Amino acid sequence: MLLEEFNRADRSVAIAALRPCVDVTRWCEHLVDHRPYDSVESLVAEAAVAADPFTAEEIEAAFVHHPRIGERPKGEGAEAALSRSEQSGVDTSEGVQEALREGNLAYEERFGRVFLIRAAGRSADEILAALRERLANDDDAEAVIVAQQLREIALLRLKGVVAA
């Protein structure tokens, strides 16, 4: 959807177009209700404002849609396609994939949720290093990082949605 189509779209259609970026109703509605945007950059700037901060409840709800790092979602929806694309750099040796599986399980045991990181543009080795590093965080420090990563993912996806 091009920006001009997004600006003209029916409210429900525009909100639906944003949900694959991050399924946070308040964020989607905010962006739609502040239309029109004169550029993709102005839309992304407004999205950054609306995403800061995502509440703890919004972050937890968004986790429902995020697969474990290294596991590609099998679904057919836009969000599954975005996730597969973002994790394209994670294709690697069985040893690194096994380390990611083990790290994912350790992270989930430690924090009670999946490990979230902006995977686009990162190699599997970089992601694994970040995962191992973040396992040492306390709950408060990790919550800040998770919120920042979710914002990065949402903004990256938004650029793709309105520029497609």
Side-chain angles (χ1 to χ4, degrees), residues 92-162:
T92 189
S93 71
E94 182 59 35
V96 173
Q97 287 197 3
E98 180 59 28
L100 284 170
R101 279 191 287 277
E102 291 172 6
N104 279 324
L105 293 174
Y107 185 93
E108 289 170 25
E109 185 175 309
R110 168 95 171 79
F111 294 106
R113 62 179 171 256
V114 297
F115 175 67
L116 183 71
I117 189 167
R118 180 192 43 78
R122 290 186 168 137
S123 70
D125 291 326
E126 290 171 314
I127 292 168
L128 181 57
L131 172 56
R132 289 177 171 158
E133 181 180 310
R134 286 173 51 188
L135 280 167
N137 288 340
D138 64 27
D139 289 343
D140 292 338
E142 187 59 16
V144 170
I145 293 169
V146 166
Q148 182 260 337
Q149 291 297 303
L150 186 60
R151 279 189 299 276
E152 285 185 25
I153 292 166
L155 298 178
L156 182 67
R157 288 179 174 183
L158 177 61
K159 289 176 188 175
V161 165
V162 295

Side-chain angles (χ1 to χ4, degrees), residues 41-74:
E41 293 78 21
S42 65
L43 171 58
V44 171
E46 188 64 32
V49 169
D52 191 17
F54 283 131
T55 67
E57 294 79 17
E58 290 169 337
I59 291 168
E60 290 305 314
F63 272 105
V64 172
H65 302 286
H66 286 277
R68 286 182 175 135
I69 198 75
E71 294 180 5
R72 306 298 191 292
K74 309 261 187 276

